[in-house]
Amino acid sequence: MSKDTQQQPATPQAIRGTQDIFGAEAEAFAHVVETFERVRRLYRFRRIEMPVFEKTAVFSRSLGETTDVVSKEMYSFDDRGGESLTLRPEFTAGIARAYLTNGWKQFAPVKLATHGPLFRYERPQKGRYRQFHQLDAEVIGAAEPMADVELLVMADQLLKELGIADGVTLQLNTLGDAASRDAWRAALIEYFRTVKADLSEDSQDRLERNPLRILDSKDPRDKAFVADAPQIDQFLSTEAHDFFGAVTAGLDAAGVAWTRAASLVRGLDYYRHTAFEFVTDRLGAQGTVLGGGRYDGLMESLGGPATPAVGWAAGIERLAMLVGDAQAHKSHSVDLAVAAEHPERETAALALTSLMRRSGFSVELVATGSPRKRFDRAKKFDPASIISLDVRDGQKSATIRLLDEQWNRFPSARALFDGFVEEQG
């Protein structure tokens, strides 16, 4: 077969549930991460980097063998040594493992923050992917309710600094301490047993081993009975009641609005006391943008000593979608555009662009392609101000024009421009 008739190899396609992020979406993604990094430094959370894969036991023991994440959604494989490894489906279990194996107890209480990719094999939908990204913040070794408050205030500030707090509501609940939760769990089992035949198949399966999950079921067959189910407040110990009161009082003092969500639960036994979600109606069914709670029993499931801890995670993709909506009506993504309208002015245009960038201005340099079209190309970037360097009638020319009257940095840019032109002669 001749080279001309050889069939071209097929181009590999992206894996379902993954994404290639580019353009405005990538800028929104980066903005979320940059804002998180700035806010976590304000709250003195230490940055950590974690492996993207762990021994499968880290997740199966912490999340529970029977949960959907472990039984259906984890990317697990045997390595060449025959050991079962799993791409991390969430951050908390890996951070708990690192806390135990690296002796971070010496720093307790320790405030930790990280972000990166996670992996779950589930049906892709708006804002949800099989490789997705999260922000994560944890406080380990602090049993006091003020740790919960600090995390919630930090989350609230993050959403406000991202400019997406409008329309987002903090929903808050308590799961009580271990004794309160056990009494509530027993009451739920007794209640739902009387209507078991009318529950959904999933809830019938969960009834004996995880009845709290029935409370957040979306199935209409279950919702009919949830409203009359026993509430946690009926079983709260004095200590658990006071803990939740301290959390809500702290939020009120910090000016963070919240609403009680009695059906907000966490199915795993190691979750205690505070559970929370920041929710919005702007992302369809996947309305939670940030969620978390206190997990005082997790360390013990990994073979460690009893260690109080609380944390939250937020999907970067979902936050970026909200950021993108918020920024859609903002005018300029670039401060200056510099057009070299003559080949002899390209070097000067590069020098001026470098000066402006070193001075903190975002600049788009247009010094390639047809010189006659460069000015029009520069305008298409929609800059707040545009600079032209040209040669007309044998004489060098330089002009700067303000395109956005609201841009308050123009005087500084103009001063740099004038100084550059004077120096160039």
Side-chain angles (χ1 to χ4, degrees):
M1 184 181 293
S2 68
K3 289 184 178 180
D4 293 337
T5 59
Q6 285 182 350
Q7 188 174 2
Q8 284 286 102
T11 300
Q13 300 300 302
I15 299 171
R16 185 169 184 258
T18 63
Q19 53 182 330
D20 303 306
I21 309 174
F22 176 75
E25 292 181 359
E27 292 298 328
F29 188 103
H31 177 61
V32 170
V33 173
E34 290 163 4
T35 304
F36 173 70
E37 283 293 320
R38 185 174 71 253
V39 172
R40 69 97 183 159
R41 283 192 290 268
L42 294 176
Y43 285 75
R44 301 296 296 161
F45 275 66
R46 298 188 183 190
R47 183 84 166 91
I48 56 172
E49 289 290 343
M50 307 296 300
V52 297
F53 57 91
E54 297 271 1
K55 294 180 179 180
T56 299
V58 170
F59 304 112
S60 62
R61 289 166 61 184
S62 63
L63 296 175
E65 294 281 2
T66 58
T67 61
D68 285 348
V69 173
V70 172
S71 63
K72 302 177 183 178
E73 299 174 2
M74 292 201 319
Y75 282 91
S76 299
F77 59 95
D78 290 341
D79 67 7
R80 293 181 180 179
E83 184 162 39
S84 180
L85 305 178
T86 295
L87 298 179
R88 62 189 183 196
E90 52 100 41
F91 276 116
T92 305
I95 293 174
R97 189 274 309 156
Y99 178 89
L100 294 173
T101 59
N102 291 302
W104 290 351
K105 183 179 179 180
Q106 63 182 305
F107 305 114
V110 60
K111 300 189 291 187
L112 305 172
T114 190
H115 59 80
L118 304 170
F119 307 86
R120 292 189 185 186
Y121 190 87
E122 55 186 350
R123 185 170 62 86
Q125 53 187 292
K126 183 178 181 181
R128 174 176 284 182
Y129 303 91
R130 290 178 176 175
Q131 177 178 320
F132 57 102
H133 302 78
Q134 284 188 349
L135 312 173
D136 188 273
E138 315 280 347
V139 180
I140 302 177
E144 299 78 12
M146 285 304 101
D148 307 49
V149 174
E150 183 174 28
L151 269 170
L152 285 163
V153 175
M154 176 187 178
D156 183 72
Q157 181 167 347
L158 171 67
L159 298 179
K160 287 176 178 174
E161 296 211 7
L162 286 171
I164 59 176
D166 290 345
V168 176
T169 303
L170 167 58
Q171 296 186 350
L172 191 68
N173 198 20
T174 177
L175 303 178
D177 51 22
S180 305
R181 184 187 174 99
D182 288 346
W184 184 31
R185 184 179 184 277
L188 287 171
I189 292 175
E190 182 179 352
Y191 169 77
F192 283 119
R193 275 177 179 167
T194 64
V195 294
K196 181 176 180 179
D198 298 315
L199 297 175
S200 67
E201 290 76 11
D202 283 345
S203 290
Q204 289 183 37
D205 180 56
R206 291 167 174 160
L207 175 55
E208 300 295 335
R209 56 184 175 81
N210 207 346
L212 272 66
R213 290 294 308 278
I214 302 176
L215 298 178
D216 64 0
S217 170
K218 304 299 187 291
D219 194 302
R221 290 172 291 177
D222 301 326
K223 285 186 174 182
F225 302 104
V226 167
D228 295 326
Q231 300 288 312
I232 181 61
D233 289 6
Q234 302 169 234
F235 305 94
L236 286 180
S237 65
T238 301
E239 293 79 9
H241 181 274
D242 292 346
F243 190 101
F244 189 58
V247 171
T248 57
L251 293 174
D252 292 340
V256 176
W258 59 276
T259 183
R260 180 72 187 274
S263 63
L264 177 59
V265 297
R266 297 286 183 262
L268 298 172
D269 288 341
Y270 57 72
Y271 277 101
R272 315 278 165 78
H273 293 297
T274 318
F276 55 87
E277 290 181 353
F278 286 81
V279 299
T280 179
D281 58 4
R282 305 201 317 255
L283 291 177
Q286 301 302 321
T288 301
V289 295
L290 186 153
R294 178 166 282 277
Y295 51 95
D296 288 352
L298 173 61
M299 295 295 178
E300 293 169 88
S301 74
L302 294 175
T307 306
V310 59
W312 57 252
I316 298 178
E317 284 86 355
R318 296 186 193 180
L319 293 175
M321 289 166 64
L322 294 174
V323 166
D325 291 342
Q327 291 185 337
H329 304 293
K330 294 184 179 180
S331 54
H332 306 292
S333 60
V334 62
D335 295 328
L336 298 158
V338 178
E341 296 195 78
H342 193 282
E344 293 181 14
R345 301 293 273 156
E346 291 170 3
T347 300
L350 177 59
L352 177 57
T353 297
S354 298
L355 172 65
M356 291 294 186
R357 287 170 175 164
R358 287 195 297 268
S359 300
F361 294 95
S362 60
V363 186
E364 192 72 52
L365 171 63
V366 184
T368 59
S370 171
R372 291 181 299 173
K373 298 179 180 179
R374 291 176 185 174
F375 187 82
D376 289 338
R377 284 175 52 209
K379 287 185 69 174
K380 289 181 179 179
F381 288 109
D382 192 26
S385 179
I386 191 166
I387 294 172
S388 168
L389 301 182
D390 201 354
V391 176
R392 299 178 181 175
D393 300 325
Q395 299 295 316
K396 296 178 180 178
S397 67
T399 60
I400 183 170
R401 186 191 309 174
L402 178 63
L403 301 180
D404 180 4
E405 296 292 340
Q406 304 300 315
W407 190 49
N408 58 15
R409 298 189 67 195
F410 182 69
S412 299
R414 180 66 194 243
L416 286 169
F417 170 80
D418 290 343
F420 178 84
V421 171
E422 182 178 349
E423 183 178 315
Q424 292 276 310

